[in-house]
Amino acid sequence: MEDGTGRRPMGGSHQGFTLGFPESAGCRRYTMRFYIHLCVMTLPFCSVGTPVSSCSLSTKAMANYTEEGDIILGLLTPTSASFTRPVVTFSIQPPPYPCDAFSSDLYKSILALIFAVKEVNENPNLLPNITLGFQMFDSCYSESGSLQAIFQTVSSNDNQIPNYKCGSKPIVPAVIGDISSPSVATARVLGLWRFPQVSYVAAIPSLSNKIEFPSFIRTTVSTRSQPQALIGLCKKFGWTWIGVIASSADYFVQGVVEFRREAIQNGICIEFFETVSFSPFNNKIPKTVENVGRSMARVVILYCSNAEVFLIFREVLQQNLNGKVWIGTEAWYSTPPIDKQFLTILNGTIGIARSRAIPPNFSNFLQTFNPSKYAKLPFVKTFWEVLFNCKWPEGEVNIHAINVGQVNKTCTGLEKLVTNDMAEFNDPTSQFVSMAHNAVYAVAHALHNLLHCRPGEGPFHEKSCANEHNIQPWQLLHYLKRVHFVNTAGEDVSFDANGDIYGSFDILNWHFKENRSQFKKVGTFSDHVDQKLLINGSAIFWSGGQLPLSVCSDVCPPGHWKKPRKGQPVCCYDCVLCPESMISSETNSVRCFSCLEDFWPDNKRTKCTPKVVEFLSYEEPLGLVMTLLAIMFYVTTMMVLIVFLKFRHTTVVKANNRNLSYVLLLSLMFCFLCPLVFIGRPVTPTCSIRQSLFGIIFSICISCILAKTIIVVIAFKATKPGSNLRMWIGSKMAILVVSMSTIVQVLIILVWQIGFPPFLERNYEVLNGVILLECNEGSVAMFYCTIGYLAFLAIISFVVAFLARNLPDSFNEAKYITFSMLTFLSVWSTFIPAYLSTKGKYIVAVEIFAILLSSFGLLCCIFAPKCYIILLRPSMNTKQYLTSKK
């Protein structure tokens, strides 16, 4: 609905509406939505029949340099700077932003843009039958200049009508430029329309944010890659304790914030962080340099501009500060403040600079470049005057050029631009030449892909393609983000999801030799490959003759770990030897690692070695001695048995119940063989039977002795007339005592074997570095029950024998049994504490020793006196002697 004037009324507060200029002849409308809050706004909108001038902004059109073509690109190229800032009182119309000082810093990149457009137009395989043109604006290093230029560019008219295109001029699908600060402003505006902007200079990190700047793309490396390159250098050379001096400018602040984040993640500590600014009233730099001198860090990273580095180095000379290694960033290192007094400071420093691959034909273009061919190119003659320190004969060329010193010659236009320095990092703008060249080619390839889209295979709605006669900026942006090509220098060019080109830096080393200072390329850094940093350490010249060390604490060798110092950064630590059971195989290990169960650290605790598997073996001396003793005692017992068998009809053998003696000697023989089951590598079957065998055999031994004792007592008691004990003197009593006593032990062992069976165990805890192969008894209580029952039988035998000690000596064996039981109980009473206090294989040795000693005690105490009589005193081995009063 329109009012009588043909204007469309606007809504009230809190309502959205479309800013709609009526489409008249030659005018095309772009749609933009605004939201108005608590206000009503009235603007003189265009209507049909209304002159275009009545709806234009009241701003003077900017001058530009134009080359016609089928498709026009907008170029924002800062050429001059402002040294004066007009005071705006708003009592009169504000004057335009002044551009009163020519700057030659980026002028070669402007020539690279012109060369790239020319090269694309001459390439039959890229945009065939279509010529590229451009409108070039001087943004004057200012936000206002850049904004005014883009409004004029997208309007395609001297009258700046936002969001509107009038006239029949070719469309402008993309803008190339500008530097960092102005690009932030232009990217916000162009992002509203999704209008592509490709910058070849702006490196400020925040422009990678695609939420704020959705249509911004750049062919220069974002400063996000620079911190990674610096961190890579620090890690390569082992610098973990560094200092940082940073500029307070926004470009450097964003970069250094990213650097600090990367440093924390990579274990690099910043001892001091100082900020400086380039200002005539700045008195902080002397204090900053004093802090650098007092610091322990030998490596100092300068995140500053060239001018600030100049002030820092001047103060370094005044304070005579030595022994520091200065690390340069791309902002100043390839164009450091050249002054003879600074050569000693710069000598041996290392830094990074953006890689530059100069287009192969650009040198020829510069060699044939003549200002007369591009007479309308802004400031071309001024650039010539500054570059060659000459003066044109025309009086009109006196543009506010920066002072170039005494001019002694006249410009002819035949001077040749030097191009050899561009590849040697001596040309401060050479890096921007390749980036500007890539920017034009990126847009050209995107246009080529857009125009060669096949219907039905397009990327848009229902697989449609763009209208080549009405290319929408957002459609070109779609192709531009996905462009991928190889430039004329052979480099692969593509963009990541943030619209940034993959970062690539050259590592440079400043070397002063033979009164000549020069850069030397010693490595590269690329953030899109697996091995990001490649550097030739042997090619680097260090001022001290060797790689400087910049750490808070010395390197911890393998076998140690870094123990943090309380209250200090993580880079400050003490080297502590790893615990006994742990190792560290790397230098500067942050912790020690435990070995696997079957392994143990070596003496230096740098690697794990297999643990010693320990058990009582036949090969070692202790096992060998125990084996020999067991065999010797076994043979001795066998000989005693042979003697008793041979002299079985003699009085001594008969008088002591020879059948029980035979059983006792046989059981003692098996007792001496028991240790052989304990010696050697244990296995599960031996673990199950060895304690059972020991318990049952010893039960037979002690029960035989008990039976002997009881029979002796009964024998003497049965001599009384009318005694009923005579019936128990025979073998019945012996069988009863031995069988009953043994059956109880068998029952105990059955409960043990069924309920808590012994098993083979690998014990890692007893001895460090040793795996003890041992038999776990399954139940310690059952083990002590077995020994306890043997002790019970021995105590009964001891008591009975002790009570029978006063019986007549001729037939009395009680004294020998008493001594044998006393020996048995003494051995096994000392076994318990010895068993509990011993570790490893010596536990088995203690038990074997107790078995051998107790068995040998029984053999000696009971059978030695008898063998003495049988073998040495046969006269005593008669019935008459035994029945005599003697």
Side-chain angles (χ1 to χ4, degrees):
M1 176 175 154
E2 299 180 354
D3 59 14
T5 63
R7 298 173 180 170
R8 188 181 302 275
M10 297 190 181
S13 63
H14 291 88
Q15 293 187 12
F17 67 94
T18 300
L19 177 60
F21 295 104
E23 296 187 15
S24 57
C27 293
R28 185 183 300 116
R29 183 181 68 185
Y30 295 118
T31 301
M32 180 189 299
R33 290 190 65 83
F34 291 86
Y35 291 90
I36 301 178
H37 299 276
L38 303 178
C39 64
V40 176
M41 184 169 67
T42 303
L43 289 176
F45 290 103
C46 295
S47 61
V48 179
T50 304
V52 172
S53 59
S54 65
C55 62
S56 63
L57 298 179
S58 57
T59 304
K60 185 178 179 180
M62 294 180 65
N64 63 84
Y65 172 67
T66 302
E67 286 194 6
E68 299 297 337
D70 299 322
I71 298 177
I72 302 295
L73 303 180
L75 305 183
L76 303 183
T77 57
T79 307
S80 54
S82 174
F83 277 0
T84 60
R85 297 293 178 93
V87 178
V88 179
T89 62
F90 297 104
S91 58
I92 59 175
Q93 181 176 345
Y97 195 88
C99 296
D100 48 18
F102 172 73
S103 175
S104 62
D105 288 347
L106 296 176
Y107 207 84
K108 279 187 181 177
S109 64
I110 296 174
L111 301 182
L113 292 172
I114 298 174
F115 165 73
V117 172
K118 177 176 179 292
E119 201 172 41
V120 169
N121 288 334
E122 294 174 354
N123 187 344
N125 298 320
L126 187 61
L127 292 177
N129 302 321
I130 294 177
T131 58
L132 285 183
F134 58 82
Q135 282 184 318
M136 183 181 295
F137 294 88
D138 179 11
S139 62
C140 198
Y141 288 89
S142 68
E143 289 84 349
S144 62
S146 296
L147 288 171
Q148 186 177 353
I150 64 166
F151 277 122
Q152 190 167 329
T153 300
V154 299
S155 299
S156 296
N157 197 316
D158 290 343
N159 297 308
Q160 299 163 35
I161 308 174
N163 199 31
Y164 216 81
K165 182 183 296 293
C166 298
S168 59
K169 291 184 178 181
I171 57 176
V172 177
V175 171
I176 297 177
D178 195 358
I179 61 174
S180 289
S181 295
S183 287
V184 173
T186 56
R188 290 190 189 280
V189 174
L190 294 176
L192 297 174
W193 307 329
R194 301 302 189 266
F195 197 101
Q197 178 183 357
V198 185
S199 176
Y200 59 91
V201 182
I204 193 167
S206 59
L207 288 169
S208 297
N209 187 338
K210 294 302 103 179
I211 297 177
E212 292 188 58
F213 310 102
S215 62
F216 181 83
I217 295 175
R218 51 185 160 195
T219 55
T220 184
V221 181
S222 168
T223 52
R224 290 180 183 272
S225 300
Q226 185 171 211
Q228 298 178 17
L230 294 172
I231 293 298
L233 282 178
C234 293
K235 294 176 67 176
K236 173 68 177 180
F237 299 124
W239 298 330
T240 59
W241 191 246
I242 62 174
V244 177
I245 302 178
S247 171
S248 58
D250 186 56
Y251 169 81
F252 298 100
V253 169
Q254 292 192 32
V256 82
V257 167
E258 186 71 21
F259 174 80
R260 295 179 74 174
R261 185 184 301 112
E262 290 284 341
I264 293 172
Q265 293 177 356
N266 288 274
I268 296 173
C269 301
I270 301 176
E271 182 184 8
F272 63 86
F273 179 81
E274 302 283 347
T275 57
V276 296
S277 61
F278 181 70
S279 171
F281 306 103
N282 184 10
N283 56 359
K284 186 180 178 181
I285 291 181
K287 184 67 175 178
T288 298
V289 175
E290 287 180 13
N291 293 338
V292 174
R294 288 193 298 265
S295 70
M296 293 173 54
R298 291 193 60 191
V299 172
V300 183
I301 295 178
L302 296 179
Y303 237 108
C304 308
S305 66
N306 201 304
E308 290 157 339
V309 171
F310 177 86
L311 297 178
I312 292 171
F313 282 176
R314 186 177 63 182
E315 190 62 34
V316 168
L317 285 176
Q318 291 180 358
Q319 296 188 20
N320 194 26
L321 177 60
N322 298 312
K324 302 295 180 181
V325 178
W326 307 95
I327 306 300
T329 57
E330 55 85 22
W332 68 271
Y333 193 71
S334 61
T335 56
I338 301 300
D339 195 308
K340 290 184 178 180
Q341 60 181 344
F342 294 156
L343 293 180
T344 55
I345 301 175
L346 289 169
N347 194 30
T349 61
I350 195 167
I352 61 176
R354 291 189 180 96
S355 298
R356 60 204 70 189
I358 305 303
N361 296 323
F362 186 61
S363 297
N364 295 333
F365 173 78
L366 292 180
Q367 291 293 313
T368 59
F369 184 84
N370 191 297
S372 60
K373 293 182 180 179
Y374 298 90
K376 295 183 179 180
L377 184 64
F379 301 107
V380 62
K381 291 190 175 181
T382 307
F383 167 68
W384 213 257
E385 288 182 342
V386 172
L387 188 63
F388 295 107
N389 194 21
C390 61
K391 186 69 176 178
W392 290 99
E394 301 95 315
E396 68 273 9
V397 183
N398 56 2
I399 310 287
H400 312 276
I402 298 175
N403 185 20
V404 295
Q406 186 67 32
V407 178
N408 298 318
K409 58 182 178 180
T410 301
C411 299
T412 63
L414 300 177
E415 295 85 357
K416 299 297 182 181
L417 293 173
V418 178
T419 59
N420 294 332
D421 287 346
M422 298 178 70
E424 298 296 333
F425 297 94
N426 294 323
D427 188 333
T429 61
S430 62
Q431 59 184 330
F432 299 116
V433 168
S434 59
M435 298 173 189
H437 189 269
N438 286 340
V440 173
Y441 265 83
V443 175
H445 277 278
L447 285 169
H448 181 87
N449 296 336
L450 181 147
L451 295 174
H452 286 76
C453 172
R454 296 180 179 179
E457 298 179 1
F460 306 121
H461 182 61
E462 294 182 352
K463 297 184 178 182
S464 61
C465 298
N467 184 353
E468 62 181 30
H469 301 293
N470 184 22
I471 299 175
Q472 298 298 311
W474 59 269
Q475 293 174 324
L476 178 62
L477 182 61
H478 171 87
Y479 283 95
L480 195 54
K481 286 185 174 183
R482 294 160 179 80
V483 76
H484 189 182
F485 65 95
V486 177
N487 64 15
T488 57
E491 288 185 331
D492 193 77
V493 179
S494 60
F495 303 100
D496 61 18
N498 296 321
D500 296 326
I501 199 170
Y502 288 107
S504 182
F505 291 97
D506 291 313
I507 312 299
L508 308 179
N509 182 219
W510 182 277
H511 190 191
F512 179 70
K513 185 178 181 181
E514 298 177 355
N515 296 324
R516 182 174 179 267
S517 60
Q518 61 182 0
F519 285 116
K520 185 176 182 180
K521 181 179 176 179
V522 295
T524 59
F525 176 87
S526 300
D527 63 2
H528 60 286
V529 295
D530 293 335
Q531 190 174 358
K532 298 180 182 298
L533 180 65
L534 295 175
I535 194 164
N536 183 7
S538 60
I540 300 177
F541 170 80
W542 302 106
S543 58
Q546 61 182 358
L547 174 66
L549 188 65
S550 186
V551 295
C552 180
S553 299
D554 293 332
V555 174
C556 283
H560 296 72
W561 67 286
K562 299 191 299 185
K563 181 181 180 181
R565 295 175 184 170
K566 189 176 181 179
Q568 296 191 25
V570 294
C571 299
C572 300
Y573 50 82
D574 297 313
C575 292
V576 180
L577 186 66
C578 288
E580 288 186 355
S581 60
M582 306 181 80
I583 66 160
S584 65
S585 58
E586 299 178 352
T587 301
N588 278 339
S589 179
V590 295
R591 62 190 180 96
C592 298
F593 301 91
S594 298
C595 294
L596 297 176
E597 280 189 332
D598 291 350
F599 291 85
W600 184 253
D602 60 353
N603 293 333
K604 296 182 179 180
R605 297 175 190 172
T606 58
K607 62 180 180 180
C608 292
T609 57
K611 285 183 177 181
V612 177
V613 178
E614 186 177 83
F615 54 89
L616 187 60
S617 65
Y618 292 103
E619 291 78 11
E620 59 182 300
L622 183 59
L624 183 60
V625 169
M626 294 290 183
T627 303
L628 292 176
L629 287 175
I631 295 173
M632 184 178 65
F633 293 156
Y634 172 80
V635 172
T636 302
T637 309
M638 182 184 293
M639 293 174 64
V640 172
L641 178 60
I642 292 172
V643 170
F644 267 62
L645 290 173
K646 184 176 181 180
F647 296 94
R648 61 184 178 277
H649 300 297
T650 61
T651 303
V652 171
V653 175
K654 287 181 178 180
N656 291 280
N657 197 329
R658 59 185 175 186
N659 291 329
L660 276 177
S661 297
Y662 297 155
V663 175
L664 178 59
L665 286 170
L666 286 172
S667 62
L668 284 174
M669 289 174 63
F670 283 107
C671 284
F672 288 126
L673 292 178
C674 276
L676 301 181
V677 185
F678 286 81
I679 301 172
R681 188 183 188 96
V683 292
T684 301
T686 59
C687 288
S688 298
I689 67 172
R690 68 183 191 178
Q691 297 292 2
S692 302
L693 190 63
F694 154 72
I696 293 172
I697 292 173
F698 261 80
S699 295
I700 295 173
C701 286
I702 304 302
S703 61
C704 287
I705 295 172
L706 178 60
K708 272 177 168 288
T709 308
I710 294 174
I711 290 173
V712 168
V713 173
I714 293 175
F716 282 99
K717 297 292 183 180
T719 56
K720 296 179 181 181
S723 175
N724 295 325
L725 297 176
R726 284 182 178 274
M727 60 178 298
W728 297 103
I729 294 177
S731 60
K732 292 182 180 180
M733 176 57 70
I735 294 173
L736 180 63
V737 172
V738 173
S739 59
M740 292 301 295
S741 301
T742 305
I743 288 173
V744 174
Q745 184 72 291
V746 170
L747 291 175
I748 293 174
I749 290 175
L750 283 176
V751 173
W752 185 6
Q753 291 292 331
I754 295 174
F756 317 96
F759 57 90
L760 179 64
E761 182 180 41
R762 299 169 68 90
N763 195 328
Y764 300 94
E765 306 298 332
V766 176
L767 295 173
N768 291 333
V770 174
I771 302 174
L772 178 61
L773 286 183
E774 62 179 5
C775 291
N776 191 305
E777 308 303 346
S779 172
V780 177
M782 296 305 297
F783 172 68
Y784 285 115
C785 284
T786 302
I787 296 178
Y789 180 70
L790 295 176
F792 171 73
L793 293 178
I795 290 171
I796 294 176
S797 298
F798 173 75
V799 171
V800 174
F802 180 77
L803 295 176
R805 71 188 185 283
N806 294 323
L807 295 175
D809 291 342
S810 299
F811 296 96
N812 191 4
E813 190 175 26
K815 289 181 180 180
Y816 306 122
I817 294 175
T818 301
F819 281 113
S820 67
M821 290 298 99
L822 186 61
T823 302
F824 183 87
L825 291 172
S826 299
V827 170
W828 286 101
S829 62
T830 56
F831 162 76
I832 301 299
Y835 183 86
L836 294 175
S837 61
T838 308
K839 292 182 179 180
K841 60 186 177 182
Y842 299 104
I843 296 178
V844 180
V846 167
E847 188 170 356
I848 293 173
F849 181 77
I851 293 172
L852 293 176
L853 188 58
S854 60
S855 301
F856 188 71
L858 295 177
L859 179 66
C860 291
C861 291
I862 295 176
F863 293 99
K866 299 177 179 61
C867 289
Y868 172 76
I869 293 173
I870 294 171
L871 297 176
L872 301 178
R873 301 294 296 272
S875 60
M876 299 173 61
N877 192 10
T878 62
K879 187 175 182 181
Q880 292 78 9
Y881 180 81
L882 293 176
T883 57
S884 66
K885 293 181 179 180
K886 294 182 180 181

